[in-house]
Amino acid sequence: MPVRKSSQTTGSFCCKCICWTVGLLVLLLGIVGATAGILYLVFKPEIPNYSVDSLTISDLRLNFDMTLYAKFDVKITANNPNKKIGIYYEKGGRLSVWYTKTKLCQGSIPKFYQGHQNITKLDVSLTGQTQYGSTLMRTLQEQQQTGRIPLDLKIDAPVSIKLGRLKLRKLRILGNCLLVVNSLSTNNLISIKASNCKFRLKL
């Protein structure tokens, strides 16, 4: 007579497989967690920070099609506070200036490598055209009468982290600096009355 395996034997085998799989996953997660913990203790990573040094408006005018053309020049300082971590700023980084929910202009962050505890000065030119320019220009002019114009400078920078000789996968540094400036006069150095910058990393 053919021998039939009981459902109890089959169930026991499946139970063992599930237990082995779960045990293996827990072990792998433990190894990954321990490795991450060791790397954190060794390298003590900190998020780089930025500050806006100056803002100059080269051009701000209405075009014939009623779009608003803007050209800003921004000087920023990028600070890498890490003692053992280098940062590769990859191609595709963007810097943009917004008024309320309207993007006035944007420009490219240059590709470069920033070493340990390095401070780098960057000059970024930003240009842009915005629709409904007449309404926006009128609002900006009214705001300028108060001497306090709120602007939002946003940063989106793809970076790769260097740990020793190891170059890790790309991350993104996202941030914004809430600025209050005194004027939007062209060809004059704008006074930055207030600045509040916040940044985060995105995988």
Side-chain angles (χ1 to χ4, degrees), residues 62 65-68 102 130-138:
L62 280 174
D65 60 359
M66 291 295 107
T67 58
L68 179 68
T102 302
T130 308
Q131 293 188 348
Y132 312 110
S134 58
T135 302
L136 185 58
M137 178 66 90
R138 184 167 58 252

Side-chain angles (χ1 to χ4, degrees), residues 46-84:
E46 295 182 57
I47 297 177
N49 54 75
Y50 308 84
S51 59
V52 182
D53 300 328
S54 66
L55 173 67
T56 305
I57 299 176
S58 304
D59 204 348
L60 186 66
R61 56 182 163 81
L62 280 174
N63 293 321
F64 290 115
D65 60 359
M66 291 295 107
T67 58
L68 179 68
Y69 176 79
K71 183 179 180 182
F72 288 18
D73 296 298
V74 181
K75 295 182 185 294
I76 63 174
T77 296
N79 177 29
N80 175 15
N82 294 283
K83 295 180 180 180
K84 300 179 181 180

Side-chain angles (χ1 to χ4, degrees), residues 186-198:
T186 57
N187 298 318
N188 288 315
L189 188 64
I190 307 301
S191 174
I192 299 174
K193 292 190 170 185
S195 176
N196 181 22
C197 298
K198 295 181 180 179

Side-chain angles (χ1 to χ4, degrees), residues 7 52 57 62-64 71 91 94 97 110 112 167 173:
S7 59
V52 182
I57 299 176
L62 280 174
N63 293 321
F64 290 115
K71 183 179 180 182
K91 185 178 179 181
R94 293 288 177 184
V97 173
F112 68 99
K167 185 177 179 180
I173 295 175

Side-chain angles (χ1 to χ4, degrees), residues 82-102:
N82 294 283
K83 295 180 180 180
K84 300 179 181 180
I85 298 176
I87 303 172
Y88 289 94
Y89 285 80
E90 307 287 1
K91 185 178 179 181
R94 293 288 177 184
L95 192 66
S96 56
V97 173
W98 296 66
Y99 174 71
T100 60
K101 296 182 180 180
T102 302

